[in-house]
Amino acid sequence: MMSAAARRIGVLQRTLGSSGAVRRELVDVRQQQQLLQRRGVHGADCGGEAKKHDEAAAARAAAKSASEGGPTIFDKIIKREIPATVVFEDELCMAFRDVNPQAPTHLLVIPKERGNLSQLSKAQEDDKSMLGHLLYTANRVAAQEGLDKTGYRVVINDGVEGCQSVYHLHLHVIGGRQLTWPPG
Ligand code: AMP
């Protein structure tokens, strides 16, 4: 099975190869992957612990590029420059299927205008209505997928220790199977 870093490299290569910031992210992720391979760690191939290291490495690499503030992969999705399976859209936000689903249903809800909302911890007082709108949209798309009948989880990863890998605020809506806790 392909590791998370290998999958991330594949996504980056297919979609954003021309952006300087993303090229640097690609190099960082590749270096992290090589390091893990040298240590005999192959991400998902070697079980849960290795996968966690792999994802943390990718998150550290993404954080470095994020400080440059360039466009993210989600900006390309909003502009329809790369494909995504969009399940909901209004004037403020968009919801689409995660390319690397962690459950039978895995959606991402994002603001169309990132502004300062590269991550939740950057939110200001005047972002409150957008934050409410995103959460309410998560509720709507979950219902659209039938998850309101069984339950689901909404997750926001923030920063390196939160394992955030795309610096454009997004809510994960995850369901369709029994989830476990704690998330790890
Ligand atoms: P996070 O790690 O919380 O920043 O989540 C970023 C999410 O974006 C991951 O679950 C990725 O699988 C997902 N992702 C990255 N690129 C794409 C893409 N092109 N289309 C859909 N989802 C993506």
Side-chain angles (χ1 to χ4, degrees):
M1 197 188 289
M2 201 185 276
S3 73
R7 278 195 302 276
R8 180 99 181 109
I9 286 168
V11 168
L12 290 167
Q13 277 175 330
R14 282 196 301 281
T15 56
L16 281 174
S18 60
S19 148
V22 172
R23 252 200 319 275
R24 276 190 292 284
E25 182 184 348
L26 190 54
V27 169
D28 286 340
V29 174
R30 202 192 293 280
Q31 283 169 349
Q32 294 287 355
Q33 189 193 31
Q34 284 165 354
L35 183 68
L36 291 166
Q37 279 170 346
R38 276 201 297 280
R39 289 177 188 161
V41 175
H42 301 282
D45 304 350
C46 295
E49 277 309 308
K51 186 164 186 279
K52 279 181 213 162
H53 289 306
D54 207 358
E55 285 168 359
R60 280 194 297 277
K64 269 198 230 162
S65 308
S67 57
E68 296 168 10
T72 70
I73 213 159
F74 295 166
D75 291 302
K76 298 268 176 185
I77 289 174
I78 293 163
K79 291 184 188 156
R80 296 326 209 249
E81 290 171 5
I82 61 169
T85 306
V86 177
V87 299
F88 176 86
E89 185 172 7
D90 65 15
E91 68 284 3
L92 296 175
C93 73
M94 181 183 259
F96 53 90
R97 296 198 189 281
D98 195 300
V99 77
N100 182 23
Q102 301 301 310
T105 301
H106 186 167
L107 305 174
L108 300 174
V109 182
I110 65 170
K112 282 186 172 171
E113 286 289 332
R114 180 182 52 171
N116 57 302
L117 288 175
S118 54
Q119 59 192 109
L120 183 62
S121 55
K122 300 272 193 246
Q124 303 291 315
E125 180 88 23
D126 59 3
D127 293 314
K128 278 160 73 174
S129 66
M130 174 59 84
L131 295 176
H133 187 72
L134 294 172
L135 199 53
Y136 184 67
T137 301
N139 154 52
R140 283 182 69 181
V141 295
Q144 195 174 291
E145 298 281 318
L147 299 180
D148 55 331
K149 297 176 187 69
T150 51
Y152 59 94
R153 185 172 294 165
V154 177
V155 173
I156 299 174
N157 295 324
D158 184 275
V160 171
E161 292 202 356
C163 251
Q164 182 173 3
S165 64
V166 178
Y167 278 78
H168 182 134
L169 178 65
H170 50 282
L171 281 61
H172 296 258
V173 180
I174 301 167
R177 67 170 168 83
Q178 179 61 59
L179 302 172
T180 57
W181 193 264

